[in-house]
């Protein structure tokens, strides 16, 4: 009984302090989510070549400007916009081991949860914990030992900084009540983008989000004549400096080449799983999240929230996942602070009337439909999609490959990074860096897709002249 009383007292103490609540929130999220995630499985196809590239940079003190791993496009000038995260990945695993590497990415995700939870100034309530499990559970398909976890953290930081800045300038009197106090945080963004641009290409999503907020501030001040846009000069200045800061990388402005090439590549949205449209690569967790979002979110209440100057981001990032599921985490991170703000009044009389009105309208079908689709895929994820993931070659197969006299290996796409790490002395046809690589003579991924779908196989082999083909037995379908 004494132990129970002490536990009860400890919980009361935690619930009475907002900072301790956030610690509990992070721990609960991690304990519920880690068992279902891939943080402790170093199995992502890109992880392997990230390790090898980090090793090269760390040992040679040099950044790659060409491709050392493939024979299909050896003259293509590869721009590795993730070079810094590659170095950190290699260093942590080499000196501290794979477990430490997994824990590092868990720590990054925990920081992301903390920052998003900190956007709520009031104390968390029990409903916030339910909202958190659903929202952060949506991100499980995108986290693990993957470089984009850095982008989720930086994007959450960007949203947090933008949420803290609200103009209090009076247009008539010209007085500034606390604008300097609130806007000074914006000057943290240029250094944030300087680091981000060397870690992951997702910094462009941050620039787009920041640009939309700047455009909204200009609209408020010059079109709507609203005092809320009074700090537009600070937003414009920090926005320009943030763009300039992204050029502080080994490749300069060319870092944008590979990013725009990837974003505009129609082949990605047809054949790479994480780039498919939400209409094709259906995510049960995301539809469960959408059901919660449609049930809780109210534009009327959001317009009265402290984050109303970020409202333009909601419809923009809501539409992006329908083009590619790659953008799902951005919308989730943007939406969570609004949902947490709305839980306090969820049982108020005004909200009960609002939900009754919504539930009896056509709009009321949205959360029900999203929940039904999400539940369907949760029960049986493969009911509409036949998802196949190739494994990796065995140690015996790698031993045979090492003894093989051939150097040019025509390989399965999912195996490229794995082979680069464990048999680096060979040259490979394709790996996870290369879907958008093309030049006047070659487009390796297009040719790979044709080959794997049994189209022009003889022509492709004759053109590239591989020494050895390494392919999963019985594998013919295209889906990566």
């Amino acid at each position: 009984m004494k132990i129970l009383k002490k536990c009860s007292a400890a919980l009361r103490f935690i619930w009475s302090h907002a900072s301790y609540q956030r610690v509990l929130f992070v721990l609960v999220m991690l304990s519920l989510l880690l068992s279902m995630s891939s943080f402790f499985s170093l199995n992502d196809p890109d992880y392997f070549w990230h390790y090898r590239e980090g090793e090269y940079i760390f040992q040679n003190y040099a950044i790659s400007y060409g491709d050392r791993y493939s024979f299909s496009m050896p003259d293509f000038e590869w721009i590795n916009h993730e070079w810094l995260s590659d170095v950190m990945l290699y260093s942590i695993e080499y000196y501290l081991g794979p477990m430490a590497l997994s824990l590092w990415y868990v720590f990054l995700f925990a920081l992301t949860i903390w920052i998003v939870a900190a956007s709520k100034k009031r104390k968390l309530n029990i409903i916030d914990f339910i909202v958190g499990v659903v929202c952060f559970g949506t991100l499980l398909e995108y986290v693990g030992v993957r470089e984009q976890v850095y982008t989720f953290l930086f994007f959450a930081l960007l949203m947090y900084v933008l949420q803290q800045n609200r103009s209090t300038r009076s247009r008539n009197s010209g007085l500034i009540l606390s604008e300097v106090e609130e806007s000074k945080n914006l000057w943290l963004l240029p250094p944030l983008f300087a680091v981000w641009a060397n870690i992951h290409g997702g910094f462009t999503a941050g620039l787009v989000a920041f640009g939309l907020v700047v455009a909204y501030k200009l609209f408020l001040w010059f079109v709507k004549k609203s005092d809320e846009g009074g700090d537009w000069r600070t937003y414009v200045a920090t926005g320009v400096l943030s763009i300039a800061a992204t050029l502080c990388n080994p490749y300069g402005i060319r870092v944008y080449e590979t990013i725009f090439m990837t974003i505009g590549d129609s082949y990605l949205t047809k054949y790479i799983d994480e780039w498919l449209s939400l209409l094709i690569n259906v995510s049960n967790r995301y539809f469960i999240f959408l059901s919660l979002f449609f049930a809780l979110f109210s534009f009327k209440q959001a317009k009265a929230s402290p984050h109303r100057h970020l409202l333009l981001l909601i419809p923009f990032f809501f539409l992006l996942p329908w083009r590619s599921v790659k953008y799902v985490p951005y919308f989730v991170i943007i939406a969570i602070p609004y949902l947490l703000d709305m839980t306090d009044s969820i049982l108020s009389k005004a909200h009960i009337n609002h939900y009754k009105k919504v539930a009896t309208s056509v709009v009321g079908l949205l959360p029900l439909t999203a929940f039904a689709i999400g539940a369907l895929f949760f029960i049986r994820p493969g009911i509409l999609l036949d998802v196949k993931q190739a494994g990796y070659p065995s140690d015996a197969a790698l031993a045979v490959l090492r003894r093989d006299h051939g150097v040019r290996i025509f390989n399965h796409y999912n195996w490229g990074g794995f082979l680069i790490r464990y048999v680096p002395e060979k040259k490979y046809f394709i790996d996870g860096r290369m879907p958008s690589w093309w030049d006047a003579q070659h487009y390796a991924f297009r040719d790979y897709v044709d080959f794997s779908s049994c189209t022009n196989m003889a022509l492709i082999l004759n053109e590239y002249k591989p020494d050895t083909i390494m392919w999963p037995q019985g594998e013919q379908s295209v889906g990566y």
Side-chain angles (χ1 to χ4, degrees):
M1 290 298 294
K2 288 183 178 179
I3 295 176
L4 291 176
K5 287 181 179 179
K6 288 182 179 180
C7 291
S8 177
L11 285 174
R12 284 197 298 271
F13 176 78
I14 290 173
W15 280 107
S16 62
H17 294 80
S19 58
Y20 293 121
Q21 274 189 332
R22 294 191 185 103
V23 173
L24 181 63
F25 184 82
V26 172
L27 292 176
V28 170
M29 296 303 106
L30 289 178
S31 63
L32 291 175
L33 303 179
L34 284 182
S35 61
M36 300 180 286
S37 74
S38 57
F39 280 107
F40 298 99
S41 175
L42 304 181
N43 207 37
D44 184 76
D46 291 338
Y47 150 75
F48 303 102
W49 68 257
H50 280 301
Y51 177 93
R52 181 61 66 192
E53 186 60 19
E55 178 187 47
Y56 174 84
I57 298 171
F58 186 85
Q59 293 181 351
N60 294 278
Y61 303 100
I63 304 297
S64 296
Y65 288 91
D67 178 30
R68 300 181 309 280
Y69 306 120
S70 76
F71 72 87
S72 55
M73 301 192 68
D75 298 326
F76 188 86
E77 190 170 342
W78 174 39
I79 296 174
N80 183 11
H81 51 75
E82 300 167 338
W83 70 271
L84 185 55
S85 53
D86 288 351
V87 171
M88 289 189 287
L89 183 149
Y90 167 76
S91 302
I92 294 171
E93 181 171 345
Y94 181 78
Y95 287 106
L96 301 176
M99 179 57 71
L101 180 64
S102 295
L103 291 175
W104 170 248
Y105 281 87
V106 171
F107 172 71
L108 294 176
F109 189 49
L111 274 181
T112 304
I113 297 173
W114 173 275
I115 292 167
V116 172
S119 64
K120 181 169 183 174
K121 297 305 179 185
R122 296 184 296 274
K123 291 181 181 179
L124 298 170
N125 58 58
I126 192 64
I127 301 175
D128 291 329
F129 282 73
I130 299 172
V131 170
V133 169
V134 174
C135 294
F136 289 110
T138 307
L139 302 183
L140 286 181
E141 299 171 34
Y142 305 90
V143 296
V145 181
R146 305 180 67 183
E147 312 294 39
Q148 61 190 19
V149 175
Y150 287 100
T151 274
F152 302 157
L153 172 61
F154 289 139
F155 194 77
L157 274 170
L158 170 66
M159 291 298 106
Y160 181 80
V161 170
L162 293 177
Q163 288 159 8
Q164 308 312 305
N165 291 274
R166 296 176 297 279
S167 175
T168 52
R169 181 188 293 273
S170 170
R171 176 179 287 271
N172 295 326
S173 62
L175 297 176
I176 304 176
L177 302 180
S178 59
E179 184 183 328
V180 175
E181 178 83 18
E182 294 178 342
S183 295
K184 68 179 182 180
N185 292 333
L186 289 174
W187 297 102
L188 297 173
L189 295 183
L192 173 70
F193 277 103
V195 176
W196 195 353
N198 289 278
I199 284 185
H200 191 261
F203 74 88
T204 51
L207 285 179
V208 169
F210 193 16
L212 288 172
V213 176
V214 172
Y216 181 63
K217 285 287 184 177
L218 293 172
F219 173 79
L220 286 176
W221 186 254
F222 290 103
V223 179
K224 296 284 288 185
K225 310 298 183 184
S226 170
D227 295 340
E228 287 189 57
D231 54 354
W232 66 270
R233 294 176 181 83
T234 306
Y235 275 83
V236 170
T238 52
V240 171
L241 288 176
S242 295
I243 295 173
T246 64
L247 303 181
C248 298
N249 68 82
Y251 307 97
I253 197 170
R254 293 199 63 196
V255 74
Y256 285 93
E257 286 183 19
T258 184
I259 294 171
F260 291 144
M261 185 185 298
T262 300
I263 293 173
D265 188 351
S266 60
Y267 255 69
L268 284 178
T269 56
K270 289 180 181 178
Y271 298 110
I272 303 294
D273 282 345
E274 63 180 357
W275 285 95
L276 295 176
S277 166
L278 189 62
L279 297 172
I280 300 173
N281 188 2
V282 181
S283 168
N284 61 290
R285 292 191 182 101
Y286 184 63
F287 277 96
I288 295 291
F289 162 77
L290 282 183
S291 68
L292 179 72
F293 176 78
F294 287 132
L296 291 182
F297 187 78
S298 165
F299 264 106
K300 182 178 180 181
Q301 187 176 353
K303 286 173 67 176
S305 77
H307 313 144
R308 58 183 175 272
H309 60 298
L310 304 181
L311 265 180
L312 185 61
L313 303 181
I314 292 286
F316 181 83
F317 281 91
F318 170 78
L319 293 175
L320 286 182
W322 301 97
R323 184 184 187 274
S324 170
V325 294
K326 189 83 171 178
Y327 303 110
V328 162
Y330 301 107
F331 176 63
V332 173
I333 291 171
I334 290 169
I336 292 175
Y338 290 100
L339 299 181
L340 294 179
D341 275 342
M342 293 174 185
T343 58
D344 287 330
S345 56
I346 195 170
L347 297 179
S348 67
K349 185 175 180 180
H351 259 67
I352 290 174
N353 292 333
H354 167 73
Y355 290 133
K356 284 182 179 178
K357 189 179 297 184
V358 168
T360 55
S361 67
V362 177
V363 180
L365 295 175
L366 290 175
L368 295 176
T369 303
F371 184 83
I373 295 174
L376 177 67
F377 280 86
F378 184 81
I379 295 169
R380 189 177 178 185
I383 198 167
L384 294 180
L385 289 177
D386 185 18
V387 180
K388 295 181 179 179
Q389 181 176 0
Y392 296 115
S394 64
D395 291 340
L398 294 179
V400 171
L401 181 63
R402 291 188 185 100
R403 291 195 299 269
D404 188 87
H405 295 296
V407 175
R408 299 157 65 92
I409 312 300
F410 196 103
N411 61 286
H412 189 277
Y413 176 83
N414 281 347
W415 289 1
F418 181 85
L419 295 173
I420 285 172
R421 173 166 181 179
Y422 292 106
V423 193
E425 61 269 25
K426 307 290 186 179
K427 300 289 186 179
Y428 300 100
F429 182 80
I430 193 80
D431 62 76
R433 302 167 301 132
M434 300 172 60
S436 299
W437 291 15
W438 61 274
D439 56 28
Q441 287 79 34
H442 298 103
Y443 190 171
F445 186 67
R446 181 197 61 195
D447 293 335
Y448 170 82
V449 169
D450 288 344
F451 180 88
S452 60
S453 58
C454 303
T455 303
N456 300 324
M457 297 177 70
L459 290 174
I460 293 169
L461 293 177
N462 185 59
E463 179 181 356
Y464 290 99
K465 295 179 173 57
D467 299 319
T468 305
I469 297 177
M470 196 167 188
W471 202 262
Q473 186 175 6
E475 176 77 26
Q476 289 185 350
S477 62
V478 179
Y480 317 108

